Amino acid sequence: MTQATAKSYRVPEEVLSIARDIKEMKIRGAGRIARAAAKALMVAAEKFEGDNVSVFMEYMEYVARVLVSTRPTAVSLPNAVQYVMRSLRGATFTHLEDARKAVIEKAREFIEYSERAVSRIGEIGSRLISNGDRILTHCNSSAVESILRTAWKQGKRFEVYATETRPRYQGYITARHLAEEGIPITLVPDSAVLRIIGEKKITKVIVGADTITANGALINKIGTSQIALSAYAHRIPFIVAAETYKFSPYTIMGQPVKIEERDPREVLSEPIPGVAVRNPAFDATPPEYISMIITERGIIPPRSAALILWEVFGRQPTDQARRTIDLIDVEEDT
Ligand code: RUB
């Protein structure tokens, strides 16, 4: 049997290019990645050229696998793909147009939900911001930006410290966005965090999330756990902003979260002979160091993560956790 490829399925270039952009981090941040994946499934459904329902199903499953294979850590990606694909997986269609419509509707629904969730987190989280706050954030998170922007628009006055976030410097994105809003923002090296917390009397740390596990641990950009430890040492709140599709149903069965290990050249562009380089892109912060998680459904203590999973996924988490998928690399395959 010959191996199916993007070419044999005639996957549109627009879909493959979204997958490549996620892999190469031109599209990045857990929420954006999830919305881009839903959009890719929508485009794939719209542009499918055949007329056979079962070929359409196979083709859509193939596209889903390519998308899920792009980056391993943010659970928002498989959650978004699963949300859209459930429209096909649980149903029997006789007409291609009905199947196509089902995918397009679900993808649109996910994207709209996700955008509303980010702005709802902004509203809920803004209530926690007070005049005079000195807030530290790490990396670049749309959910965190939504909180800060909303609070600022409400007239609250505070200042923000953003870490550079080596090696990809996503902190620069945060700094630029907040400066555009007129929010006082100071960029600091990652290694200055403990010093800044003490010296500037930081009042709150707020970060985003790539994945929240069933026991309430946070998986986020590398360096997050060091910041959480520093906040804990100074007894200041460490707050996480996470839409509910960043909670991982897979972890209910104890499946560990895969930490993406990226190209060492992101750390050291010119290799030094005899020097090994590691470049893990994410780390895990245990629930003990997390004060609260702001979701679009309200604020929860980290230990209630399993309740969110139960509410959002119902009995499905275990079904999902049993699913194993063969990964397909978008670059090697196209
Ligand atoms: C981004 C990162 C962000 C979360 C949350 O990592 O760790 O904190 O994804 O972002 P990367 P958002 O740049 O490697 O994708 O709130 O925008 O979903």
Side-chain angles (χ1 to χ4, degrees):
M1 204 178 80
T2 50
Q3 194 72 29
T5 63
K7 219 177 245 141
S8 60
Y9 278 118
R10 287 193 286 167
V11 179
E13 179 49 34
E14 194 182 339
V15 173
L16 296 172
S17 131
I18 295 175
R20 262 183 237 117
D21 285 354
I22 296 174
K23 187 171 171 173
E24 291 160 14
M25 289 178 67
K26 287 183 192 134
I27 299 172
R28 50 145 300 282
R32 282 200 182 82
I33 290 172
R35 288 189 291 277
K39 167 90 191 299
L41 290 168
M42 187 196 287
V43 174
E46 281 167 351
K47 296 204 165 164
F48 176 72
E49 283 174 357
D51 52 12
N52 181 309
V53 189
S54 51
V55 175
F56 175 70
M57 300 277 203
E58 274 176 41
Y59 154 92
M60 286 304 300
E61 286 294 346
Y62 177 85
V63 172
R65 275 163 58 200
V66 169
L67 290 167
V68 168
S69 310
T70 51
R71 289 190 80 187
T73 304
V75 76
S76 53
L77 175 58
N79 278 350
V81 168
Q82 167 71 2
Y83 185 92
V84 177
M85 291 302 290
R86 221 187 305 147
S87 59
L88 295 182
R89 286 170 183 162
T92 24
F93 290 99
T94 18
H95 301 292
L96 171 69
E97 285 318 312
D98 293 338
R100 196 199 302 268
K101 215 170 116 207
V103 172
I104 294 170
E105 265 171 24
K106 275 285 165 198
R108 198 165 287 140
E109 197 175 284
F110 179 85
I111 294 167
E112 285 170 10
Y113 181 89
S114 167
E115 285 166 350
R116 275 201 312 275
V118 174
S119 70
R120 183 84 189 113
I121 287 176
E123 286 162 26
I124 298 172
S126 68
R127 294 182 206 143
L128 302 173
I129 311 290
S130 313
N131 275 322
D133 262 342
R134 286 174 301 279
I135 299 158
L136 177 78
T137 189
H138 184 52
C139 195
N140 174 254
S141 153
S142 338
V144 173
E145 279 191 5
S146 173
I147 293 172
L148 300 174
R149 205 175 295 122
T150 310
W152 190 259
K153 286 197 173 132
Q154 289 165 351
K156 293 184 178 166
R157 291 299 171 255
F158 52 88
E159 58 178 316
V160 178
Y161 290 80
T163 55
E164 287 185 299
T165 318
R166 262 190 64 81
R168 296 290 299 237
Y169 300 104
Q170 293 92 327
Y172 287 42
I173 305 172
T174 305
R176 203 172 305 117
H177 287 175
L178 298 187
E180 278 163 11
E181 295 289 331
I183 301 175
I185 170 81
T186 306
L187 200 59
V188 297
D190 302 344
S191 44
V193 160
L194 191 54
R195 163 114 191 129
I196 293 292
I197 287 181
E199 187 195 41
K200 295 293 170 192
K201 302 204 170 25
I202 293 293
T203 51
K204 293 178 178 86
V205 175
I206 314 181
V207 296
D210 283 88
T211 293
I212 306 280
T213 67
N215 71 341
L218 162 70
I219 315 297
N220 193 48
K221 181 51 56 194
I222 191 77
T224 302
S225 63
Q226 290 174 183
I227 300 174
L229 277 172
S230 306
Y232 188 78
H234 279 269
R235 301 285 182 267
I236 53 172
F238 181 87
I239 301 166
V240 180
E243 305 91 288
T244 51
Y245 50 81
K246 292 176 181 166
F247 286 63
S248 170
Y250 307 95
T251 58
I252 284 191
M253 308 287 281
Q255 193 172 307
V257 177
K258 184 160 192 267
I259 300 292
E260 179 179 11
E261 188 81 33
R262 297 186 62 85
D263 193 327
R265 282 171 299 185
E266 290 184 345
V267 176
L268 191 65
S269 49
E270 292 292 320
I272 302 172
V275 176
V277 177
R278 289 275 317 273
N279 186 16
F282 300 95
D283 65 19
T285 301
E288 295 78 35
Y289 300 115
I290 300 170
S291 313
M292 62 188 96
I293 304 175
I294 307 171
T295 78
E296 73 277 16
R297 292 180 179 225
I299 298 176
I300 59 154
R303 292 288 185 199
S304 295
L307 293 178
I308 290 279
L309 281 168
W310 189 256
E311 217 180 277
V312 174
F313 297 93
R315 290 172 64 82
Q316 219 195 344
T318 40
D319 296 347
Q320 280 208 35
R322 277 196 210 103
R323 278 185 72 90
T324 51
I325 51 157
D326 298 325
L327 300 180
I328 305 172
D329 190 308
V330 62
E331 274 163 14
E332 280 165 22
D333 192 43
T334 55

